[in-house]
Amino acid sequence: MNPTVKNWCRPFLLITTCLFSLHAQASSGALHDANSLRVLLDRVNTDYQMFKGENANPKYGDALEEDLELLADARSDFLDRAAELDRSAAADEIDANVERYISILSETYEELSNGGFEAAVAAGDMIESKLAAQKAITTLYLSIAETSKVDPRVIEYQIMSYEMQQIAAKYLENAAATYGVAYRDQSDEKTIDQLAQEFALRLDGLNLKAADLPPGVKVELADVKRKWSFIQQSLLNYMENQVSFLVYLYSRKIVDGLLSASEHLALATGGDTTTGAPTIAPPADSGIQLPPGIPAAQ
């Protein structure tokens, strides 16, 4: 190669490499933020459903309030990231539904805290607002994922974390409703056992023996599989005995494990999640303990 051309190419290649790296990091951060928001929308719902189902148990109220703070941070980060990607219009529509969801949830939570009751209409509007927000977030998430250079396994773990949190929220919503029947019409949605079967298939499909999978990620995913075994049958047979406390606790651990695995793999493969929403974690166990005789999945 001509020395002049070679010298000219060096900075060009350097710039191209840097831009590629920045694009990968931006995609990773955007996926992280969008997924964090949709997961947290369901996580606060599980707190709320347990609070309602356990006769306003203050331990679940504390968990709800802490998770609402995490949701507020994730919401802000999501809007900031959307602005960076010129997706503000779509993000603003999503945020309108998030705002409505949080508003109804907070009002109903306050009513329950004061000895009142949940209105069926409010319960339906609350969940429908959440679902509308999550549907739009998922559409945005998938559009970013299509052009992302992020390791596909990072995306898979994030999708699974969302699916697990969805299953738990749906299970606890049903369990907390009168006579185990939800107030709102769910006839056009997949049943809990169908969702559990799909999740189990995805979990079985994970390759924990891949040579390029970091050892720490392998450990996290193996632990996710172990914890899943504690609640799988309860979800598949959700119309039988209700074990809300079991699903609530172990689903959180599974979601946290999948999110941790996705973040660690993203960092190991060049992605950047450190500027996104805070890692979602259970609020110091909130003092919520398993009943005697139930094995712990620490």
Side-chain angles (χ1 to χ4, degrees):
M1 179 182 291
N2 185 295
T4 302
V5 175
K6 186 175 181 179
N7 290 335
W8 179 86
C9 282
R10 279 195 187 122
F12 175 78
L13 291 174
L14 180 59
I15 292 172
T16 301
T17 301
C18 290
L19 288 175
F20 178 84
S21 177
L22 289 173
H23 175 74
Q25 291 183 3
S27 296
S28 179
L31 291 170
H32 175 270
D33 289 353
N35 189 62
S36 292
L37 180 58
R38 62 181 183 173
V39 167
L40 277 164
L41 287 171
D42 264 331
R43 174 152 289 191
V44 298
N45 188 31
T46 62
D47 296 328
Y48 169 78
Q49 297 301 337
M50 287 299 291
F51 182 76
K52 179 178 70 175
E54 294 292 323
N55 300 313
N57 186 329
K59 294 176 182 178
Y60 295 108
D62 292 342
L64 173 59
E65 291 174 5
E66 291 190 29
D67 283 334
L68 280 172
E69 291 181 4
L70 289 179
L71 176 57
D73 290 339
R75 183 181 175 185
S76 176
D77 289 336
F78 172 75
L79 291 173
D80 289 344
R81 185 78 69 174
E84 293 175 6
L85 300 176
D86 294 325
R87 304 288 188 106
S88 290
D92 287 343
E93 290 184 17
I94 291 170
D95 196 58
N97 277 310
V98 172
E99 174 61 31
R100 178 169 175 75
Y101 168 63
I102 294 175
S103 177
I104 299 174
L105 185 149
S106 298
E107 290 175 5
T108 308
Y109 168 60
E110 191 68 26
E111 182 70 21
L112 293 173
S113 298
N114 293 323
F117 299 92
E118 178 190 69
V121 174
D125 287 347
M126 179 182 76
I127 299 300
E128 290 305 321
S129 296
K130 176 183 72 69
L131 292 175
Q134 289 174 316
K135 181 178 180 180
I137 294 170
T138 297
T139 297
L140 182 60
Y141 178 92
L142 293 176
S143 71
I144 296 171
E146 285 179 358
T147 58
S148 173
K149 302 301 182 181
V150 175
D151 189 309
R153 294 170 296 184
V154 171
I155 296 173
E156 180 70 1
Y157 304 161
Q158 289 178 346
I159 290 174
M160 291 178 67
S161 71
Y162 174 49
E163 289 181 342
M164 181 71 260
Q165 197 67 78
Q166 276 187 306
I167 294 170
K170 194 176 182 71
Y171 180 94
L172 296 173
E173 181 191 347
N174 278 271
T178 305
Y179 304 115
V181 179
Y183 290 120
R184 64 188 184 84
D185 179 18
Q186 300 185 42
S187 59
D188 61 341
E189 300 175 21
K190 291 182 180 180
T191 59
I192 294 167
D193 56 338
Q194 289 175 322
L195 294 171
Q197 288 171 355
E198 292 177 1
F199 181 85
L201 288 174
R202 295 189 85 132
L203 192 58
D204 288 341
L206 297 182
N207 181 11
L208 273 61
K209 297 181 179 180
D212 63 339
L213 191 64
V217 175
K218 293 180 181 180
V219 171
E220 289 172 322
L221 294 178
D223 197 45
V224 163
K225 289 193 172 188
R226 185 174 67 87
K227 289 180 172 66
W228 170 248
S229 68
F230 282 87
I231 61 173
Q232 180 177 4
Q233 289 306 313
S234 295
L235 295 171
L236 292 174
N237 303 308
Y238 72 99
M239 293 299 290
E240 298 178 9
N241 296 331
Q242 296 291 345
V243 287
S244 299
F245 54 88
L246 198 68
V247 172
Y248 176 80
L249 285 174
Y250 286 1
S251 65
R252 291 170 76 92
K253 295 176 184 294
I254 291 169
V255 171
D256 293 338
L258 288 166
L259 290 173
S260 180
S262 73
E263 290 183 17
H264 289 158
L265 183 58
L267 291 171
T269 54
D272 176 22
T273 63
T274 58
T275 58
T279 299
I280 302 170
D285 292 331
S286 299
I288 303 167
Q289 302 297 326
L290 287 171
I294 300 297
Q298 298 298 331

